[in-house]
Amino acid sequence: MRPSAILHRQTRSWHNFAPPLKSLVTSVRTYIYWFPTVFVVSYYFYYLKIVSGRSMQPTLNPDSSLWRDVGLFNRYAIHTKRDYHRGDIVALCSPEDPNRVLVKRIIALAGDRVKTLPPYPDPEIVVPQGQAWIEGDEPFHSDDSNRFGPVPLALIESRLVTVVWPPSRFGNLFRPIQIDKDTSTPHKHSAYRLAMAELDRQRWRNARVTAVPHNSLQ
Amino acid sequence: MSGPSMLPTLAASGEVVIEDRLSLRLNPASLARGDIIVVRSPIDPTAIVCKRVIGLPGDVICVDPTGLKAPSTEHVLIPKGHIWICGDNMAYSRDSREYGPVPVALIRSKLFARIWPLKDRTIFWNSMRVLH
């Protein structure tokens, strides 16, 4: 047969499908095509996660915000590079409930001595090898190491890179304060006072930890 | 597989086993005392260990009846969300007797069968019975 007749027959078979079905099949094929890439990127590299709850206030989910924070989390640093630092906000599986994911801050790593908060029974603890002490920034509403003790590092899944939603809080963790330059009383600006309060909280957290210098993985 | 902590069930090296990752994800309640599981080590985030489940959350475990790693009268109540694991070769195994109960979230998979060496091929059935 002539080649053009064969081609005609092939194109005609598409025309037999109703148009919505054809576009559905095309879009399903696109999803299937991209699914492995998206899966690998979100499982090994970066993914977005909604943070809910009050345990990391005021750093995440402050009461002044109408939205729950959506954060960009980095799995590569934890899964592959095993790069843990004190002060990182991380997502980890809860040791009390394997289906629950907690977002907390690493306060201390293996070997450090930590002054604990109630309800932990001992006033001081040395974090064992391969474990970490995690706490939420809001000590009164936080389900953290002060309740269940040090957690194995293997439970930690990913590290928070930045907040991406709401737009007013984009990158909020690392933004330097903006103060109007021609004010004569910078210490009365609310932005300055908020920043100083954040610094104070950081100092209080660091003061409760006696760190040992780490030259290895942990 | 490597390491002598599960002798005589599993040899120290040179064996190939099949891990079952799906059944614990689909049905986490199917974890039973006596299953051989693969767990990420609580003391080393890069290591994985293969041990047997001895206790489930809520059980009271006698830590070490032989008195080697703990006084033989010491008992532990396993908290919610944790399990107690122990290697079959109790003389040479670092397990919950040393690092305490392990969170369930660290479990990777259950062992299903050994396929190499061929003369020792077996499916690991859980043959634990409760003595009354």
mmCIF file of all heavy atoms in Angstrom, chain A residues 4 21 50 81 106 124 128 131-132 136 141-142 149 157 178 185 204-205:
data_model
loop_
_atom_site.group_PDB
_atom_site.id
_atom_site.type_symbol
_atom_site.label_atom_id
_atom_site.label_comp_id
_atom_site.label_asym_id
_atom_site.label_seq_id
_atom_site.Cartn_x
_atom_site.Cartn_y
_atom_site.Cartn_z
ATOM 1 N N SER A 4 1.312 6.837 2.452
ATOM 2 C CA SER A 4 0.416 7.849 3.006
ATOM 3 C C SER A 4 -0.894 7.218 3.458
ATOM 4 O O SER A 4 -1.518 7.689 4.389
ATOM 5 C CB SER A 4 0.149 8.950 1.981
ATOM 6 O OG SER A 4 -0.365 8.360 0.811
ATOM 7 N N LEU A 21 -10.909 12.354 26.260
ATOM 8 C CA LEU A 21 -10.186 11.142 26.626
ATOM 9 C C LEU A 21 -8.761 11.196 26.122
ATOM 10 O O LEU A 21 -7.833 10.764 26.779
ATOM 11 C CB LEU A 21 -10.923 9.923 26.035
ATOM 12 C CG LEU A 21 -10.466 8.575 26.572
ATOM 13 C CD1 LEU A 21 -10.644 8.527 28.076
ATOM 14 C CD2 LEU A 21 -11.260 7.467 25.929
ATOM 15 N N ILE A 50 4.540 20.955 55.214
ATOM 16 C CA ILE A 50 3.812 21.916 56.040
ATOM 17 C C ILE A 50 4.155 21.641 57.493
ATOM 18 O O ILE A 50 4.107 20.503 57.953
ATOM 19 C CB ILE A 50 2.299 21.762 55.844
ATOM 20 C CG1 ILE A 50 1.945 21.927 54.377
ATOM 21 C CG2 ILE A 50 1.554 22.790 56.678
ATOM 22 C CD1 ILE A 50 0.470 21.769 54.126
ATOM 23 N N LYS A 81 25.042 13.059 53.217
ATOM 24 C CA LYS A 81 26.240 13.647 53.800
ATOM 25 C C LYS A 81 26.327 13.429 55.311
ATOM 26 O O LYS A 81 27.387 13.590 55.889
ATOM 27 C CB LYS A 81 26.276 15.156 53.530
ATOM 28 C CG LYS A 81 26.443 15.494 52.092
ATOM 29 C CD LYS A 81 26.998 16.880 51.892
ATOM 30 C CE LYS A 81 26.183 17.921 52.575
ATOM 31 N NZ LYS A 81 26.528 19.281 52.127
ATOM 32 N N ILE A 106 18.037 20.651 66.766
ATOM 33 C CA ILE A 106 19.082 19.851 67.420
ATOM 34 C C ILE A 106 19.806 20.770 68.385
ATOM 35 O O ILE A 106 20.398 21.769 67.991
ATOM 36 C CB ILE A 106 20.102 19.297 66.406
ATOM 37 C CG1 ILE A 106 19.436 18.343 65.443
ATOM 38 C CG2 ILE A 106 21.211 18.586 67.139
ATOM 39 C CD1 ILE A 106 20.408 17.779 64.432
ATOM 40 N N GLU A 124 20.864 16.910 84.500
ATOM 41 C CA GLU A 124 21.893 17.001 83.469
ATOM 42 C C GLU A 124 22.050 15.650 82.824
ATOM 43 O O GLU A 124 21.863 14.633 83.467
ATOM 44 C CB GLU A 124 23.234 17.368 84.112
ATOM 45 C CG GLU A 124 23.488 18.835 84.136
ATOM 46 C CD GLU A 124 24.960 19.158 84.214
ATOM 47 O OE1 GLU A 124 25.797 18.250 84.030
ATOM 48 O OE2 GLU A 124 25.245 20.322 84.459
ATOM 49 N N PRO A 128 24.363 10.131 74.675
ATOM 50 C CA PRO A 128 25.154 8.960 74.280
ATOM 51 C C PRO A 128 25.598 9.017 72.820
ATOM 52 O O PRO A 128 25.117 9.822 72.036
ATOM 53 C CB PRO A 128 24.201 7.777 74.494
ATOM 54 C CG PRO A 128 22.998 8.313 75.144
ATOM 55 C CD PRO A 128 22.977 9.784 74.981
ATOM 56 N N GLN A 131 23.501 9.601 69.207
ATOM 57 C CA GLN A 131 22.180 10.158 69.495
ATOM 58 C C GLN A 131 22.272 11.673 69.559
ATOM 59 O O GLN A 131 23.341 12.242 69.514
ATOM 60 C CB GLN A 131 21.664 9.588 70.821
ATOM 61 C CG GLN A 131 21.768 8.082 70.847
ATOM 62 C CD GLN A 131 20.758 7.431 71.721
ATOM 63 O OE1 GLN A 131 20.181 8.059 72.600
ATOM 64 N NE2 GLN A 131 20.526 6.156 71.504
ATOM 65 N N ALA A 132 21.113 12.304 69.641
ATOM 66 C CA ALA A 132 21.085 13.762 69.677
ATOM 67 C C ALA A 132 19.993 14.209 70.634
ATOM 68 O O ALA A 132 19.037 13.472 70.884
ATOM 69 C CB ALA A 132 20.810 14.333 68.286
ATOM 70 N N GLY A 136 12.041 21.677 71.003
ATOM 71 C CA GLY A 136 11.301 22.690 70.272
ATOM 72 C C GLY A 136 11.600 24.053 70.872
ATOM 73 O O GLY A 136 11.958 24.164 72.036
ATOM 74 N N HIS A 141 5.270 23.912 75.098
ATOM 75 C CA HIS A 141 4.318 23.200 74.238
ATOM 76 C C HIS A 141 5.033 22.282 73.299
ATOM 77 O O HIS A 141 4.679 22.182 72.144
ATOM 78 C CB HIS A 141 3.506 24.219 73.429
ATOM 79 C CG HIS A 141 2.535 24.958 74.261
ATOM 80 N ND1 HIS A 141 1.328 24.449 74.620
ATOM 81 C CD2 HIS A 141 2.626 26.179 74.830
ATOM 82 C CE1 HIS A 141 0.706 25.332 75.376
ATOM 83 N NE2 HIS A 141 1.462 26.380 75.521
ATOM 84 N N SER A 142 6.075 21.640 73.791
ATOM 85 C CA SER A 142 6.894 20.894 72.864
ATOM 86 C C SER A 142 7.067 19.453 73.330
ATOM 87 O O SER A 142 7.344 19.191 74.483
ATOM 88 C CB SER A 142 8.231 21.608 72.753
ATOM 89 O OG SER A 142 9.117 20.854 72.014
ATOM 90 N N GLY A 149 13.741 11.768 76.056
ATOM 91 C CA GLY A 149 15.174 11.527 76.119
ATOM 92 C C GLY A 149 15.863 11.682 74.779
ATOM 93 O O GLY A 149 15.252 12.046 73.782
ATOM 94 N N GLU A 157 15.360 12.835 59.581
ATOM 95 C CA GLU A 157 15.142 12.634 58.146
ATOM 96 C C GLU A 157 15.676 13.743 57.300
ATOM 97 O O GLU A 157 16.179 13.514 56.215
ATOM 98 C CB GLU A 157 13.645 12.609 57.874
ATOM 99 C CG GLU A 157 12.961 11.368 58.263
ATOM 100 C CD GLU A 157 11.530 11.396 57.764
ATOM 101 O OE1 GLU A 157 11.006 12.491 57.473
ATOM 102 O OE2 GLU A 157 10.973 10.312 57.672
ATOM 103 N N GLN A 178 15.952 44.936 59.372
ATOM 104 C CA GLN A 178 16.040 46.205 58.645
ATOM 105 C C GLN A 178 15.652 47.311 59.600
ATOM 106 O O GLN A 178 14.553 47.290 60.120
ATOM 107 C CB GLN A 178 15.044 46.220 57.470
ATOM 108 C CG GLN A 178 15.119 45.016 56.568
ATOM 109 C CD GLN A 178 16.306 45.111 55.648
ATOM 110 O OE1 GLN A 178 16.874 46.181 55.482
ATOM 111 N NE2 GLN A 178 16.679 43.997 55.075
ATOM 112 N N THR A 185 16.826 56.362 67.927
ATOM 113 C CA THR A 185 16.655 55.382 69.012
ATOM 114 C C THR A 185 16.396 54.003 68.412
ATOM 115 O O THR A 185 15.281 53.516 68.421
ATOM 116 C CB THR A 185 15.473 55.747 69.920
ATOM 117 O OG1 THR A 185 14.320 55.942 69.084
ATOM 118 C CG2 THR A 185 15.755 56.989 70.719
ATOM 119 N N TRP A 204 20.434 31.446 75.366
ATOM 120 C CA TRP A 204 19.932 30.584 76.454
ATOM 121 C C TRP A 204 20.037 29.115 76.076
ATOM 122 O O TRP A 204 20.448 28.279 76.881
ATOM 123 C CB TRP A 204 18.477 30.965 76.751
ATOM 124 C CG TRP A 204 17.810 30.088 77.756
ATOM 125 C CD1 TRP A 204 18.068 30.021 79.081
ATOM 126 C CD2 TRP A 204 16.760 29.152 77.496
ATOM 127 N NE1 TRP A 204 17.248 29.106 79.672
ATOM 128 C CE2 TRP A 204 16.429 28.559 78.731
ATOM 129 C CE3 TRP A 204 16.068 28.768 76.357
ATOM 130 C CZ2 TRP A 204 15.440 27.597 78.849
ATOM 131 C CZ3 TRP A 204 15.081 27.809 76.482
ATOM 132 C CH2 TRP A 204 14.777 27.224 77.718
ATOM 133 N N ARG A 205 19.718 28.814 74.796
ATOM 134 C CA ARG A 205 19.820 27.426 74.365
ATOM 135 C C ARG A 205 21.267 26.971 74.401
ATOM 136 O O ARG A 205 21.585 25.883 74.874
ATOM 137 C CB ARG A 205 19.310 27.272 72.923
ATOM 138 C CG ARG A 205 17.830 27.176 72.791
ATOM 139 C CD ARG A 205 17.468 26.662 71.431
ATOM 140 N NE ARG A 205 17.927 27.501 70.352
ATOM 141 C CZ ARG A 205 17.186 28.429 69.747
ATOM 142 N NH1 ARG A 205 15.955 28.638 70.128
ATOM 143 N NH2 ARG A 205 17.683 29.135 68.762
#
